[in-house]
């Protein structure tokens, strides 16, 4: 509150200076000019001595001279003059023999004028002073504004070593554990941290040491930052938030200085929480950088290590750090005494996704047909951020369609948008491309439906999305964390279903299955080299991936096997793919009537999903589609209220090239 008041006071002072400057300029402008002609002071003396001047009005150095003669308007003529800064006008007139009052004038000696002094208000000297000082005031004000602008920006010339951590006080709770879902185990671990901050005496009585730091590990979007803010909200303590990249600058020693300043502020506000997001930016292993073993990043890391060791047990300051690359962190950072706890946040399972969707749907008008369980099953691998984006996309779609509530249709559309991208309605497809896409996606769908160890298909569409011409989505019955060779082999068959369908119908495959072939090759190679699923080579891993810690990505692969083993690996990968391709071909030959029926329906409706898709795949190929219970009833014809007025007879002229008979047109359109 005091900060806001002082800021308001500074702004008011600046505005007051600007107002005074404007008033002074306006006042000087309106008082500087005169419409009377100017005359020299010497000429005024000569005219006064000759008796031509009636009155002289003195205003400082300015003289207003009124003549005895009249101008063209019948009024006394008026002119202006100016005297020197130290001139005594009474003494000058007396020396010239000019009386200071016309009452003393005579016919023999007419040299007399009425000398009057203008009653000044007292602003004249001050106004002159202000006008002289005004340019300097404006220049100083300009410099002040520039300095304030520079101070408010990130380029602070005198504060490089100050911490840029953002402070969130615990007076107003914004995020609690109720706002976090899908990570129950992580919440339990961090609930103890809240107890440490709320009731430190409880643990001190038993000799327990408050943990120095907690490391949150998980993929992007799993809720690491949200969970740390929930800890601060539950504990009701100040929360310092900073990114790891904000420590390091181009100047040597800036990062270490910012670390010292951050921890000094934390100690003054204890108990509190210091949250360092993306700590891998400064916490990478030392001596592994491309720039040498002693750089600015390592100095910053060393200072972090020193500060975390320097905490007293009574400071009640807990450091929470987040990263998605724990494998590249320095071992000294992970030892007990610094980051005592490691909390893993993985992608949520189906129950976790259901809980996350319920949290983000709170407060939104959701229709009764929205099935959160189905949405959770449809989004395997989605993180918390992905699910939040999913709900937001559904709300945007509903608003775009001028709906008051969000229905299941918007949620399904949002899932497709997040996975494959928006619909490309502007893409024009020929009849051949449309039918080819239908056979391709139909091949995936039919294979997946009739395979024992594959997730059943949930939706198939031939509408272009993103970079794909069509799209097939599967809905697992239950989520599994382990996969068997049978599952992978069925996945290979389903992935090659589009390629096999194109070969079956057209005798050759197009470029459409290129992504499917890449996926099949990657899975088959991983089955042989990583997961030991080859009977010929046995349970072994082949190849070791090398990476540079400074870059944080794989750059090469070391071969720890011979050329003979490399040939056997290629043979096994080829065998897996060829067996899957042959199974896909045979399955589509056996189920070709179902494939043809599915393609025929897709050419009409373009999209099939849910129970409708399952019923079509399980139906008899000879049964009509759609069945009677899925047919839309035709709207009743409107009953005419009054007979229509008879139209005048009109006999059109037959156009050329058309056959007419008896006034009726007979035409055959060929499309």
């Amino acid at each position: 509150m005091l900060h806001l008041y002082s800021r308001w006071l500074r702004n008011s002072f600046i505005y007051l200076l600007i107002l005074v400057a404007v008033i002074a300029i306006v006042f000087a402008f309106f008082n500087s000019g005169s419409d009377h002609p100017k005359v020299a002071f010497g000429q005024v003396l000569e005219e006064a001595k000759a008796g031509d001047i009636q009155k002289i009005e003195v205003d400082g150095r300015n003289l207003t001279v009124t003549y005895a003669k009249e101008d063209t308007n019948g009024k006394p003529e008026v002119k202006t003059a100016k005297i020197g800064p130290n001139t005594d006008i009474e003494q000058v007139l007396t020396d010239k023999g000019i009386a200071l009052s016309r009452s003393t004038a005579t016919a023999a000696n007419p040299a007399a004028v009425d000398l009057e002094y203008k009653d000044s208000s007292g602003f004249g000297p001050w106004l002159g002073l202000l006008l002289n000082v005004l340019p300097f005031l404006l220049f100083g004000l300009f410099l002040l504004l520039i300095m304030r602008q520079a101070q408010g920006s990130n380029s602070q010339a005198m504060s490089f070593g100050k911490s840029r951590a953002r402070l969130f006080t615990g007076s107003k709770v914004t995020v609690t554990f109720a706002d976090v879902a899908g990570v129950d185990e992580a919440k339990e671990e961090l609930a103890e941290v809240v107890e440490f901050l709320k009731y430190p005496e409880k643990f001190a009585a038993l000799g327990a040491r408050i943990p120095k730091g907690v490391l949150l590990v998980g993929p992007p979007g799993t809720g690491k930052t949200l969970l740390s803010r929930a800890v601060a909200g539950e504990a009701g303590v100040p929360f310092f938030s900073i990114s790891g990249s904000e420590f390091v600058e181009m100047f040597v020693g800036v990062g270490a200085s910012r670390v010292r300043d951050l921890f000094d502020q934390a100690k003054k506000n204890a108990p509190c929480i210091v949250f360092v997001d993306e700590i891998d930016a400064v916490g990478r292993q030392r001596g592994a950088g491309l720039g040498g073993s002693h750089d600015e990043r390592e100095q910053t890391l060393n200072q972090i290590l020193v500060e975390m060791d320097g905490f007293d047990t009574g400071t009640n300051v807990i450091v929470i750090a987040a990263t998605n690359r724990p494998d590249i962190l320095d071992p000294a950072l992970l030892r007990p005494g610094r980051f005592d706890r490691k909390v893993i946040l993985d992608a949520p399972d189906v129950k976790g996704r259901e809980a996350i969707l319920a949290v983000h749907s709170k407060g939104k008008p959701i229709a009764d047909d929205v099935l959160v369980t189905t949405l959770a099953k449809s989004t395997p691998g989605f993180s918390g951020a992905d699910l939040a984006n999913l709900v937001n996309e559904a709300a945007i779609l509903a608003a775009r369609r001028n709906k008051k509530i969000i229905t299941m249709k918007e949620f399904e559309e949002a899932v497709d948008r997040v996975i494959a991208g928006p619909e490309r309605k502007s893409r024009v497809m020929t009849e051949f491309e449309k039918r080819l896409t239908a056979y391709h996606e139909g091949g995936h769908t039919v294979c997946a439906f009739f395979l024992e160890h594959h997730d059943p298909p949930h939706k198939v569409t031939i509408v272009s999305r993103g970079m794909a011409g069509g799209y097939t989505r599967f809905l697992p019955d239950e989520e599994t964390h382990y996969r068997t060779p049978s599952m992978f082999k069925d996945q290979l068959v389903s992935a090659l279903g589009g390629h096999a369908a194109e070969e079956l119908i057209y005798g050759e495959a197009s470029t459409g299955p290129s992504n499917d072939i890449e996926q099949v090759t990657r899975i088959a190679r991983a089955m042989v080299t990583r997961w030991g699923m080859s009977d010929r080579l046995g349970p072994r891993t082949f190849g070791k991936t090398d990476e540079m810690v400074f870059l944080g990505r794989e750059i090469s692969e070391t071969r720890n096997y011979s050329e003979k083993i490399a040939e056997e690996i290629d043979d096994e990968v080829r065998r897996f793919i060829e067996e899957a391709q042959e199974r896909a071909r045979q399955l589509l030959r056996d189920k070709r009537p179902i494939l043809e029926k599915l393609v025929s329906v897709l050419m009409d409706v373009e999209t099939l999903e849910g129970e409708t898709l399952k019923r079509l795949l399980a139906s008899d190929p000879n049964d009509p589609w759609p069945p009677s219970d899925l047919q839309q009833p035709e709207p009743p014809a409107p009953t005419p209220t009054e007979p229509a007025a008879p139209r005048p007879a009109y006999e059109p002229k037959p156009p050329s090239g058309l056959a007419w008979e008896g006034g009726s047109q007979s035409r055959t359109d060929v499309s």
Side-chain angles (χ1 to χ4, degrees):
M1 186 68 184
L2 183 61
H3 174 71
L4 295 176
Y5 178 75
S6 60
R7 183 177 180 184
W8 175 83
L9 191 62
R10 289 196 304 269
N11 294 336
S12 301
F13 179 71
I14 293 174
Y15 295 147
L16 182 61
L17 287 179
I18 296 175
L19 181 61
V20 171
V22 172
I23 293 175
I25 293 174
V26 173
F27 188 82
F29 177 79
F30 283 104
N31 289 274
S32 61
S34 176
D35 55 354
H36 300 299
K38 296 181 180 179
V39 65
F41 181 61
Q43 184 178 349
V44 172
L45 294 177
E46 294 295 331
E47 293 174 342
K49 194 172 182 180
D52 297 335
I53 296 178
Q54 182 179 358
K55 182 178 66 173
I56 296 178
E57 186 177 355
V58 184
D59 184 9
R61 295 175 55 191
N62 299 318
L63 303 179
T64 303
V65 182
T66 305
Y67 288 83
K69 61 180 180 179
E70 298 179 350
D71 57 8
T72 57
N73 297 326
K75 297 181 180 179
E77 187 178 358
V78 180
K79 295 183 180 180
T80 59
K82 183 171 287 190
I83 59 177
N86 297 319
T87 303
D88 188 355
I89 188 171
E90 292 184 3
Q91 186 65 37
V92 173
L93 292 175
T94 303
D95 294 341
K96 292 290 185 178
I98 303 172
L100 304 180
S101 175
R102 286 180 59 85
S103 62
T104 61
T106 61
N109 187 16
V113 296
D114 291 331
L115 186 64
E116 297 180 1
Y117 290 90
K118 188 176 180 180
D119 188 14
S120 178
S121 59
F123 288 103
W126 292 102
L127 182 60
L129 180 62
L130 181 61
L131 291 178
N132 292 327
V133 180
L134 185 61
F136 300 97
L137 289 177
L138 293 178
F139 183 71
L141 180 62
F142 179 71
L143 290 181
L144 179 62
L145 292 176
I146 291 182
M147 292 179 63
R148 290 190 62 196
Q149 185 70 21
Q151 187 178 4
S153 65
N154 291 330
S155 58
Q156 301 176 356
M158 303 302 293
S159 59
F160 283 112
K162 299 295 183 180
S163 172
R164 297 184 178 180
R166 293 162 295 279
L167 175 61
F168 303 92
T169 61
S171 58
K172 185 178 180 181
V173 179
T174 57
V175 182
T176 62
F177 282 153
D179 301 316
V180 184
V183 285
D184 297 336
E185 294 81 4
K187 287 166 61 174
E188 292 177 1
E189 289 287 331
L190 293 176
E192 295 185 3
V193 176
V194 175
E195 287 194 56
F196 288 145
L197 294 172
K198 280 187 172 182
Y199 315 106
E201 65 279 355
K202 173 182 176 182
F203 299 91
L206 298 175
R209 178 178 55 84
I210 296 178
K212 299 289 184 66
V214 179
L215 184 64
L216 304 180
V217 180
T222 52
K224 299 184 292 293
T225 305
L226 181 65
L227 193 57
S228 63
R229 297 193 67 175
V231 172
E234 290 286 344
V237 298
F239 180 81
F240 292 89
S241 177
I242 192 171
S243 175
S245 61
E246 297 184 51
F247 287 114
V248 183
E249 292 280 357
M250 64 179 291
F251 301 102
V252 178
V254 173
S257 177
R258 288 178 178 175
V259 172
R260 287 191 295 270
D261 184 69
L262 171 62
F263 283 94
D264 288 340
Q265 295 182 36
K267 294 175 184 178
K268 295 177 182 178
N269 291 273
C272 66
I273 293 175
V274 176
F275 176 68
V276 183
D277 199 8
E278 305 296 341
I279 196 174
D280 52 275
V282 294
R284 297 175 184 262
Q285 296 183 18
R286 290 168 290 182
L290 294 178
S293 61
H294 189 73
D295 56 5
E296 170 65 9
R297 180 185 55 80
E298 290 192 3
Q299 293 185 28
T300 306
L301 175 59
N302 292 334
Q303 190 63 41
I304 293 176
L305 299 177
V306 171
E307 293 291 342
M308 294 189 70
D309 271 341
F311 278 167
D312 300 328
T313 56
T315 57
N316 294 342
V317 177
I318 295 179
V319 182
I320 300 179
T323 181
N324 52 12
R325 294 298 307 275
D327 54 316
I328 64 175
L329 295 180
D330 195 277
L333 196 64
L334 301 176
R335 75 162 176 82
R338 291 191 175 114
F339 284 102
D340 303 270
R341 293 191 174 187
K342 182 185 293 184
V343 179
I344 308 298
L345 284 84
D346 203 356
D349 55 8
V350 61
K351 292 185 178 179
R353 294 194 298 272
E354 189 172 346
I356 294 173
L357 288 172
V359 169
H360 291 294
S361 301
K362 189 182 303 181
K364 295 181 174 61
I366 306 297
D368 296 335
D369 64 337
V370 176
L371 302 176
V372 180
T373 305
T374 303
L375 292 175
K377 291 182 178 180
S378 305
T379 52
F382 274 42
S383 63
D386 295 331
L387 295 172
N389 183 41
L390 169 66
V391 177
N392 186 60
E393 286 287 342
I396 292 175
L397 287 172
R400 187 184 302 171
R401 297 168 181 174
N402 297 322
K403 293 185 176 181
K404 300 298 182 181
I405 58 175
I406 309 173
T407 64
M408 190 67 179
K409 185 177 181 181
E410 280 75 40
F411 276 103
E412 291 282 356
E413 175 71 15
V415 173
D416 295 335
R417 290 176 66 91
V418 173
I419 295 178
E423 291 185 358
R424 298 173 60 187
K425 298 181 180 179
S426 60
R427 180 178 179 181
V428 180
M429 298 178 64
T430 63
E431 185 71 17
F432 171 75
E433 291 177 331
K434 188 176 180 181
R435 187 169 294 277
L436 178 67
T437 304
Y439 276 111
H440 181 97
E441 301 301 331
H444 291 309
T445 306
V446 172
C447 288
F449 183 78
F450 291 101
L451 290 171
E452 181 182 359
H453 304 286
H454 198 281
D455 297 332
H458 177 68
K459 181 176 184 178
V460 57
T461 180
I462 58 175
V463 178
S464 299
R465 285 187 177 274
M467 300 299 295
Y471 174 57
T472 304
R473 179 154 56 90
F474 309 100
L475 183 64
D477 294 328
E478 58 184 9
E479 191 167 355
T480 58
H481 300 283
Y482 301 99
R483 301 187 68 85
T484 63
S486 300
M487 295 178 181
F488 282 119
K489 290 179 179 180
D490 284 0
Q491 187 176 352
L492 295 178
V493 175
S494 175
L496 290 172
H499 186 276
E502 292 184 13
E503 287 187 336
L504 178 64
I505 303 301
Y506 297 100
E508 58 184 0
S510 66
T511 59
S514 58
N515 188 40
D516 299 330
I517 295 174
E518 293 179 4
Q519 179 185 0
V520 165
T521 305
R522 185 177 65 255
I523 295 175
R525 180 166 290 276
M527 292 174 63
V528 177
T529 60
R530 293 177 56 190
W531 301 321
M533 296 181 178
S534 172
D535 296 333
R536 180 177 175 183
L537 297 175
R540 290 179 56 190
T541 60
F542 300 94
K544 181 181 179 182
T545 302
D546 296 331
E547 67 179 26
M548 299 192 71
V549 178
F550 187 81
L551 296 176
R553 62 176 61 205
E554 302 174 357
I555 62 171
S556 63
E557 182 180 2
T558 303
R559 293 179 56 175
N560 54 3
Y561 49 87
S562 63
E563 291 292 335
K564 182 180 180 181
I565 296 296
E567 293 180 0
E568 293 182 1
I569 292 175
D570 291 339
D571 292 339
E572 283 295 279
V573 172
R574 185 186 303 110
R575 182 177 66 84
F576 279 135
I577 295 176
E578 290 178 351
E579 289 180 357
Q581 188 177 21
E582 184 58 34
R583 288 181 59 192
R585 291 171 178 170
Q586 187 62 41
L587 181 59
L588 292 178
R589 292 192 195 100
D590 298 338
K591 304 296 181 180
R592 182 166 181 174
I594 290 293
L595 175 63
E596 296 287 353
K597 185 177 182 179
L598 175 62
V599 170
S600 177
V601 176
L602 284 176
M603 292 295 293
D604 292 334
V605 300
E606 294 185 343
T607 301
L608 288 170
E609 60 183 329
E611 291 297 327
T612 304
L613 176 61
K614 293 181 180 179
R615 288 187 58 179
L616 189 147
L617 294 173
S619 65
D620 190 285
N622 299 319
D623 291 343
W625 188 265
S628 58
D629 57 335
L630 294 180
Q631 293 180 0
Q632 298 291 335
E634 296 183 358
T639 55
T641 56
E642 59 183 15
R647 300 181 63 181
Y650 173 72
E651 187 73 18
K653 296 181 179 180
S656 60
L658 297 179
W660 287 71
E661 182 180 359
S664 63
Q665 185 180 10
S666 175
R667 180 180 176 183
T668 303
D669 291 327
V670 180
S671 58

